[in-house]
Amino acid sequence: MYTAKGQLDREALIRQHVPLVRRLAHHMIAKLPPNIELDDLIQVGMIGLTEALSRYEAAQGVQFETFATQRIRGAMLDELREGDWMSRSSRKSQKDIEKAVQRVEQKLGRCPLESEIAAELGMSLPDYQSLLGKVRGTQLVYLEDMTRSGKEDGEGEEGFLERHDISDNEDSNPNNPVELLRDQRLRAALVKAIESLPEREQYIMGMYYEHDMNLKEIAAVLDVTESRICQLHSQSIARLRAKMRSH
């Protein structure tokens, strides 16, 4: 797309790719906590689009849309990391729940009940359910898991994606969670983990991730409160991550 003088028409290219920015933002925000604003992601994505335009060289043999998509997603993820959208205490609580789920499951050889997880944490059931509501575990894969260098809590643990041997080859973008989740071994492990969830939690995960329903809509279908769906969703995420860690 060029001007009458044969120069790249930057403004026209930006206008043409605004829908791409919006589409990527909508896709990403569907899996993020409710405190993340769509408009903020779109604004950051537009900055990424502008940077892509300034760095793009047609001679490299890559289509502009492919190049821009990587830059836009990268800009959004960088902004989310810098914003530290999930507080350190919430991350620690989420990990404590995951580890408790893993320990109880290993002891019992089955999917633990809420009361059993609460007992493992040394908490009453109401306190445990309150904690679930606070952590709002909406990420199946945390942002810090998206890179191979991510280490937490000084434990030196191998990263989530390292355990599934996701290679950083020239055909993939290591910062793109969509591409990472397309890895067949990871997908197979995830499907198996979801199938092991209690029936109600399977329904919630299906409605949330497959049918793009929000928590309020799911609550109406299951005839419970939205806060209860939030609790069960957080617990489902903890169960899945515990499964994937041991896979």
Side-chain angles (χ1 to χ4, degrees):
M1 191 171 291
Y2 297 88
T3 64
K5 295 182 179 181
Q7 298 176 327
L8 198 65
D9 191 335
R10 294 170 59 87
E11 291 187 6
L13 265 177
I14 288 176
R15 287 196 302 271
Q16 180 181 339
H17 289 88
V18 167
L20 172 64
V21 174
R22 295 187 64 84
R23 185 167 67 249
L24 292 173
H26 276 281
H27 185 91
M28 188 173 291
I29 205 165
K31 304 297 182 285
L32 292 172
N35 60 298
I36 304 299
E37 295 289 340
L38 176 63
D39 287 346
D40 291 343
L41 275 186
I42 291 173
Q43 288 179 12
V44 172
M46 290 301 297
I47 294 173
L49 174 60
T50 303
E51 290 178 350
L53 191 58
S54 65
R55 295 171 180 266
Y56 178 69
E57 295 180 13
Q60 293 177 340
V62 179
Q63 289 187 347
F64 177 73
E65 183 167 333
T66 301
F67 181 79
T69 295
Q70 293 179 350
R71 286 284 174 178
I72 294 165
R73 282 179 175 146
M76 291 177 181
L77 284 171
D78 286 345
E79 177 69 14
L80 289 168
R81 290 190 185 98
E82 290 175 8
D84 193 20
W85 56 266
M86 192 174 184
S87 72
R88 188 173 185 83
S89 62
S90 291
R91 282 198 300 268
K92 182 181 183 305
S93 295
Q94 182 75 8
K95 282 188 171 293
D96 287 344
I97 295 171
E98 291 167 22
K99 291 174 182 177
V101 168
Q102 196 169 27
R103 290 194 300 268
V104 178
E105 190 163 287
Q106 288 173 350
K107 290 177 188 175
L108 302 178
R110 59 169 172 78
C111 198
L113 303 173
E114 278 183 277
S115 57
E116 292 166 338
I117 300 171
E120 181 67 22
L121 288 167
M123 305 174 72
S124 67
L125 181 57
D127 285 345
Y128 170 60
Q129 291 175 337
S130 176
L131 181 63
L132 285 173
K134 290 175 182 177
V135 298
R136 298 184 69 87
T138 58
Q139 283 292 85
L140 188 54
V141 180
Y142 294 156
L143 289 173
E144 56 265 31
D145 289 332
M146 292 303 165
T147 61
R148 288 179 173 268
S149 59
K151 296 288 189 294
E152 284 197 26
D153 304 328
E155 296 176 1
E157 291 184 354
E158 195 176 24
F160 176 84
L161 295 175
E162 287 180 290
R163 287 194 297 279
H164 293 275
D165 191 28
I166 307 297
S167 60
D168 296 342
N169 60 54
E170 62 182 6
D171 296 323
S172 66
N173 173 13
N175 288 326
N176 180 356
V178 177
E179 289 182 7
L180 292 171
L181 288 173
R182 282 177 180 156
D183 178 80
Q184 290 303 308
R185 289 197 302 147
L186 180 55
R187 287 176 62 89
L190 181 56
V191 168
K192 185 176 180 180
I194 291 174
E195 290 175 347
S196 72
L197 291 174
E199 187 175 30
R200 174 174 280 196
E201 292 180 29
Q202 285 189 45
Y203 288 153
I204 291 171
M205 297 300 283
M207 286 186 276
Y208 190 88
Y209 289 101
E210 293 179 29
H211 301 291
D212 291 325
M213 295 171 65
N214 60 39
L215 299 184
K216 185 176 182 179
E217 292 168 336
I218 298 171
V221 171
L222 296 181
D223 194 25
V224 295
T225 64
E226 184 175 349
S227 62
R228 181 57 179 154
I229 294 299
C230 178
Q231 293 168 3
L232 291 171
H233 182 257
S234 293
Q235 183 168 261
S236 300
I237 294 297
R239 290 188 198 274
L240 290 176
R241 283 181 58 88
K243 284 279 189 184
M244 299 300 282
R245 283 179 183 281
S246 63
H247 184 267

